[in-house]
Structures are given as structure tokens and as C-alpha cells.
Amino acid sequence: MNIAVAQSGGPTCAINASLVGVFREAMKHSTIDAIFGSINGIEGIVHDHLINLKTLIRSGYDMDLLRQTPSTVLGSCRYKLPDENEDSSVYKTIAKVLEHRKIGAFFYIGGNDSMDTVQKLSAYFTKISLDVKVIGIPKTIDNDLCVTDHTPGFGSAAKYVATTMQEIIRDSSVYSIPSVTIVEIMGRHAGWLTASSAVLHAYGEPAPHLVYVPEAHFSEKCFLRDVEQEMAKHKAVIIAVSEGIAVPEGVQSGMVDNFGHKYLSGIGKYLEQLVRNKIGCKVRSIELNVMQRCSSHLCSKTDIDEAEQIGAAGVKCALHGETGRVMVFRRVHNNPYTIVMEPADASQIANREKFLPREFLTPSGNNISDSAMPYFLPLIQGELHLAMEGGIPKHFTIQESILK
Amino acid sequence: MNIAVAQSGGPTCAINASLVGVFREAMKHSTIDAIFGSINGIEGIVHDHLINLKTLIRSGYDMDLLRQTPSTVLGSCRYKLPDENEDSSVYKTIAKVLEHRKIGAFFYIGGNDSMDTVQKLSAYFTKISLDVKVIGIPKTIDNDLCVTDHTPGFGSAAKYVATTMQEIIRDSSVYSIPSVTIVEIMGRHAGWLTASSAVLHAYGEPAPHLVYVPEAHFSEKCFLRDVEQEMAKHKAVIIAVSEGIAVPEGVQSGMVDNFGHKYLSGIGKYLEQLVRNKIGCKVRSIELNVMQRCSSHLCSKTDIDEAEQIGAAGVKCALHGETGRVMVFRRVHNNPYTIVMEPADASQIANREKFLPREFLTPSGNNISDSAMPYFLPLIQGELHLAMEGGIPKHFTIQESILK
């Protein structure tokens, strides 16, 4: 049989490593013939836009380069399948393409939206008795997938956030006047990535002095009180804040009007202005922006290795005859850090979110508890030995024309 | 005699390496007794706030950590000396502290404002026949100091900008719909750092497709025409823009009013809004913010080594009896890259700026010429072998209370 693999959702540093995992494992099995890459996620199946990965990935060196290349080499999409009972036409198209291409297994690397696709397609294929296994390989920097201990891509993003936070602390601490620095970190509903900035505490860094995540109630009054309390203790106060913390509705719509961009990318600027107006000290806000999801030069080796391993585990799972499953990590030990990979039902993961547990926050809800450290620390360990070209990490790329 | 060293101006990745250079070289000379670090630049001399560096830096390992720690371990300042003829009181205070501390040489690591201090102090000491040599050690990510081929700190910032630009290109190219990504890079008057994003062209990367620097005339009309032309050629158009390009005065003041922050940090957002309104495609702006000056985890080994060497050269220069001098790099060859270090008159550097030469730009002024590559490429070469602690680069830090 042939197989197909696709990448979907927002970029991370680990999605290409999972592609390598699927590819390298598939190459070991004589029952698998062609390995197709679907361009732009499930859209590539719909439009029969598939490329032969064996002609694209030609050596172990290519795989090494893919492991250190961020984002999705096969492109991505934000396509959500309609309910099959309401509109089955796209399902029929997908089934036809898969049959025509003799594809017996489809691997979808993505977040909780993509796991919705895994669930729907596997249910449809079972219903029409089409023997195509559908397996989800998780990824998201948000770490908000249910069931799994963590998600591929999160460890690298967390390592970037913590390392960059430490550098911002150095940068912010040089002048003799008091200052406040606000670092805005991705996470619309879940504070995992913002919380990861606090791993610095485990290495003796007092900052970030305040951490605000969507899981805790946010009030401007308490925020200003917190900032003033920290300013009494520290010359340079450093604050980590999730893009998704709740601010008053009026603020949100007002920012869309005045700033011309979505509220979610503006919370840092909003709090900066609040501190300037109400406290009047030197204040700066910094948005880590897409760098937190694509800075492969600083990826976690643990994350990249695991991302490859879970891709490979997905292939084995399909060959065992399973479908409608998503591969997950289960943590067995923290010391030494040990995980196992196992399949879970896509229905348990699709369209759901996992939030930071309350015990990971301090009682006041404005920082991260030391008890959270054993969870975060293993995920950021290790560095890749990067292949460089003239001072810049080398990336694996494919011609722009192929992706069109 | 004793000596003193201070750090001034905005942070870079290389200022602590220059401190190591001064310290390590001074330790070799039996004529030098105490090595004082002045806290918060020249302010530390004014307030007699000096620390004994031999008790602070105690091993080669400490020096290695300093070389990989961004920002200024001794703090910084933005203090500009008054004209001595108008107000000589601070000069008298400085002379008194230096005499009392038996300091025979003062090394000031900083940008063109700090070189103003070097010039003024050396002239004053000569006038009052105080035998204190004053030597400037250059640093700035802006690379805008005259006389010198380049400045310590620039190479690391350029490596960060180019590496991050490459990652942003990957990140921006995943979806099937057309998009524009605008990356705002530091540089108020000079486009050196923005131009460095174009070194990717030397490695076959077509992006950034457009590069706007303060040295070229900017018009919104031409900008929109450029963007539309590039959109006809590329699905994902990537643009590098200096924070300091000239936009209409009204825009500038309007942005201060609406955004509550300085115009200089808002040009990316402004152009984003312009593209959204006039072209109507998917558009995003990214500000590299302080990360471009403090991301030591990605520093250029060439830059860090040179920053240390030029600090050491400053000590030798003072011991040769020179004063009022700033150490500079002169490039002897590009292939193999060879520089020499030599002193220049502070008056040639203080308060002046060096701009990107016209021939480094393409004829249309909206990108960087291939002829600029031999200048930029040697500066970003090599990586430090970073000392890590639990997945995070280890920093050299001193107690917050010492800096107060």
C-alpha cells in the first residue's frame, strides 16, 4: 500500500521532525510503497496535490536538516471539514483521491482542529468500509491538547521563551531608574507557554516577578497593585503575560479600532499604557510574536527527538490496524524523565482544550508555583547540533512553485 | 596604578566580552594593581560607586560566562557630560574620585555618546595636568560609528536578525493564501542592521523581497507599488524595514497619540495597517524589539572574540601613554577576513554617525545589493560553545543590591 502524510495548523519547530518520524519509519516497512506528502494539509488530498516524499527527502542529511527547519515544509491549512451529514461532497472527493492513489493510511500532524479531521475522516471511512487508517500526530506550541502529557512543539517554544526571558531580564536591568517590562507570550486560552517563562526560577532567577495566564482571573486593579508591590522590591520589574488574559470588553473593541489589529496581539501594549498612565514609570512591552513558534535555532532536543518518535509510533499504530487514533505521550517518571507513547481516541482530543492546573499557580494566581517545575524542566532539555551555512542555520526547503 | 572600566549606552551581546578583554589584559601587567568596575557607566565614577573586579571575576570560567551574557553586567547610563566651560563641577568631582582611587586609566565601553565623554574627559585631564588616560572601546548594534570598519555588538545582532528573518520566512510561507510580513528592525538613522537581514540572499534565499532603510527616500506610494509587484511574484512577501525610515509628520504624531508609544517603535504596525487598507491582503508585522540586541544565545563568535580583543587593545593603548583615543577596527582583507585594531581620535567619532553607503543598496533603493555581502558575511561567522544549565544558557550575574 501507499501512505500519505500532511501538516496542518500553526507552525512549530517540531512538525518537520514528526514528518521525518513518519517517513523514516515507513521506509523500514516493505509493505509500504509510496510515501506521499500532501501539500497544505488536507487540502492537498482534496486537490490531489501530492508529492513523492522519497524524491524530496533523499538522505539522512536531508532528515537532519528537516529536524532543524521550523514550520511546515509541506505547507499548512486552517481547513475544517464540514459535518458529513450536512455536506458529504468533500468526503467523497477525499475517498476518491485516496482510493485512486492506493493510499491505505493517512497521517495528520496538527492541533486539536486537525484531530477533528482525524475523527471525522476515520468515522466516514469506517462507514463506507474504505480501508484507510487515519492517525493523528499531535503538535502545538500551546500544549493545550487533552489526554497527552504534553505536545510536540511545546518544549522548543518553552525553551525559546525561557531563554529569551532571561536575556530580556539582563537587558532590562541595566539602568539606574525603576522600570517595568511586560513580555507578551502566545496562548489564547491556556497559559502553558507563558508559565514556562517561570522555569528560570528553578535556576535562581527571581524574575519574572509576575506571571498572568488566562486560567486566573485578571483585574486591572490587582495588576496595578501587584506591579507597585514588586517595584518596592525590584528596580526592574519583569512581567510575563499571556495574549489571552481577559480584559474588559470595551478595551478589546477599542484596541481593534485604534490599533488596527486584533486585541489578542495587543494586551502587552495595553498593559504598558496602563502602567504608564497609572504608575508613571519607565515601561516597555515586548511581543515574542512568531519567534516563539519558529525559532528552531534554539529548539529543545528532547522535543525534536520526541516529535520524531511520535511520528514513527503513528506509523506502527496504523500498521497494527488502528484508525481514528491520536498518538499521545504518557509520563511514567520525572526522575529520570520517562515517557511512553500510546494511542488515544481522537474524540477525546478533537475540539477540546487542556488548561494549566490550578496547583501550577501560586495561591495569589499571579505567578507560577515551584511545584510546576518538575513538569516543565524535562521538556526544554538538550540542544541539536545545528548544521550551519556561513553563520546561519541551514534549512530544508522545497521550491516555492511546488507549494503553489 | 589602578584602572577603572565602565559600560554605557544601550545593551548589546558583546559589551561584557569587551569588559573581559580589559580585565584579562590588565591582569597581565604588573604595573596595574586594582581593576575597578564603575557601576552604571560614568555615574559610578561621579558617585564613587566602584567595585573591585578581581573579587567579582574570579576564574576563566567566569570570563567565559561573561562572554555569553548579554547587556552590561556593571549597569549602564545615558549620562552626557555638560560642556566643561559651562559647568565644570562634575569634572572636578570625577577628577577627585579618580585621584583618590589612584586610577591612572579609564576605559569607557560605549557608543558615540560615550565617545563624547571620552573626548571631554581626556581634554579636561590634559588641561588640569591630571595623568589619567581615557580610552574608548566602541560598541553598538547600530554599527553607526565613524572611522571603524564595524562595531562590536553589531555582528551578533546581525546574526540574530538574519537567523530570525530566515525562520520568519519559513513561518510566513505555510498557507496557500497570499500574505505580506513586515519585520521591523532597529536603526534610527542608519540601516546597517536592517540591511544585514539580506545576507540570506547569499545563501539562495529570495527573501527578504524588499528592504527599506533610513538612507533611502521612502514614499508610501512607491512602497505600495513595490509590495504589489512582489505579490505578483511571491505568495508570501517578506519585508525588512528600519524603525527609522521617514514617514509623514502627521503619521508620526498621530501614532504617539493613538498608540501611546513612540513613533519609532511603530513603523511596522503603521505599514501593516497601510497594506491592509490599500491592498487588503493578509498582513502581519513583527518587531524584533530588544531581542535583536540581547540574544546572546545566538551571538557571533567573530563578534565576541573581536569585542574581547578590542578591549585588550585599549589597555595596551593606555599603557603606551595615549589618551582621548577610541579603538577601531580596520579591515585589511575580506578573503581571508583580516582586521587590525588601532586607535583613532575620539573627536572623529564622538557625536557622529556613519551611514550605509549608497552602493550597498540596489539602484531602486528598496533592497540590498549583492556587492554588500562581502562586508556583512564575515561579521556573523562562528558560534560560541555555550555553557548551559538545565536547558538554558548560563549567565554571569551580580547581586541586584550591588547595582543599586
Side-chain angles (χ1 to χ4, degrees), chain A residues 320-337:
Chain A
H320 276 129
E322 302 207 47
T323 188
R325 306 284 263 171
V326 177
M327 303 308 300
V328 298
F329 294 124
R330 183 162 55 82
R331 196 181 298 211
V332 181
H333 295 294
N334 262 330
N335 201 2
Y337 169 68

Side-chain angles (χ1 to χ4, degrees), chain A residues 40 71-72 76 78 159 166-167 170-171 174 203 260 273 276 293 297 381 383 388 390-391 393 395, chain B residues 40 71-72 76 78 159 166-167 170-171 174-175 203 260 273 276 293 297 381 383 388 390-391 393 395:
Chain A
N40 291 324
S71 194
T72 54
S76 184
R78 291 272 187 202
K159 188 183 184 95
Q166 185 182 222
E167 290 167 344
R170 294 287 90 70
D171 187 277
V174 299
Y203 305 122
Q273 193 57 25
R276 186 174 290 116
R293 71 184 190 192
H297 71 269
Q381 301 305 310
E383 294 76 46
M388 305 291 285
H395 284 176
Chain B
N40 290 326
S71 194
T72 54
S76 184
R78 291 273 186 200
K159 189 184 182 93
Q166 185 182 222
E167 291 167 343
R170 291 288 91 71
D171 187 277
V174 299
Y175 296 115
Y203 305 123
Q273 194 57 24
R276 186 174 290 116
R293 70 185 192 194
H297 72 268
Q381 300 305 311
E383 293 76 46
M388 305 291 285
H395 284 176

Side-chain angles (χ1 to χ4, degrees), chain A residues 185-363:
Chain A
I185 299 167
M186 283 180 171
R188 282 162 196 250
H189 305 123
W192 295 100
L193 196 54
T194 304
S196 69
S197 67
V199 301
L200 297 175
H201 298 167
Y203 305 122
E205 192 75 67
H209 305 104
L210 295 165
V211 180
Y212 298 99
V213 292
E215 288 87 346
H217 175 71
F218 183 82
S219 99
E220 293 182 5
K221 194 178 154 194
C222 295
F223 168 75
L224 289 166
R225 187 203 58 206
D226 291 347
V227 173
E228 284 178 335
Q229 281 179 358
E230 293 303 318
M231 288 186 79
K233 289 183 274 181
H234 307 283
K235 192 186 66 179
V237 173
I238 314 287
I239 302 169
V241 60
S242 287
E243 59 177 349
I245 62 162
V247 291
E249 191 63 35
V251 169
Q252 179 175 342
S253 53
M255 290 182 78
V256 173
D257 291 343
N258 296 335
F259 287 66
H261 57 76
K262 282 182 303 182
Y263 141 72
L264 277 171
S265 67
I267 190 68
K269 279 271 171 258
Y270 174 72
L271 294 179
E272 174 190 326
Q273 193 57 25
L274 190 69
V275 169
R276 186 174 290 116
N277 290 343
K278 301 287 184 179
I279 299 179
C281 62
K282 179 179 173 184
V283 56
R284 175 198 294 274
S285 67
I286 299 164
E287 191 184 344
L288 297 189
N289 214 308
V290 299
M291 289 80 88
Q292 60 203 297
R293 71 184 190 192
C294 69
S295 290
S296 280
H297 71 269
L298 190 58
C299 62
S300 152
K301 184 172 188 298
T302 298
D303 182 36
I304 298 301
D305 286 347
E306 288 181 352
E308 180 173 342
Q309 288 157 13
I310 204 167
V315 173
K316 288 181 211 159
C317 183
L319 291 177
H320 276 129
E322 302 207 47
T323 188
R325 306 284 263 171
V326 177
M327 303 308 300
V328 298
F329 294 124
R330 183 162 55 82
R331 196 181 298 211
V332 181
H333 295 294
N334 262 330
N335 201 2
Y337 169 68
T338 313
I339 50 152
V340 292
M341 288 166 290
E342 54 195 21
D345 261 8
S347 61
Q348 291 179 276
I349 293 169
N351 308 312
R352 299 186 184 193
E353 290 173 290
K354 186 177 72 180
F355 302 104
L356 212 53
R358 185 63 186 84
E359 63 267 26
F360 277 18
L361 304 180
T362 54

Side-chain angles (χ1 to χ4, degrees), chain A residues 34-85:
Chain A
I35 306 167
F36 291 113
S38 168
I39 300 299
N40 291 324
I42 190 69
E43 289 178 10
I45 305 283
V46 174
H47 301 118
D48 196 20
H49 191 179
L50 305 177
I51 56 173
N52 181 346
L53 288 184
K54 288 183 191 173
T55 63
L56 187 73
I57 306 168
R58 279 183 278 198
S59 64
Y61 179 65
D62 278 354
M63 290 186 235
D64 286 346
L65 290 186
L66 267 170
R67 279 166 50 93
Q68 68 176 47
T69 302
S71 194
T72 54
V73 74
L74 299 176
S76 184
C77 71
R78 291 272 187 202
Y79 183 82
K80 192 156 182 174
L81 280 177
D83 189 312
E84 185 239 328
N85 296 316

Side-chain angles (χ1 to χ4, degrees), chain B residues 68-83:
Chain B
Q68 68 176 48
T69 301
S71 194
T72 54
V73 73
L74 300 174
S76 184
C77 70
R78 291 273 186 200
Y79 183 83
K80 191 155 184 176
L81 280 176
D83 188 312

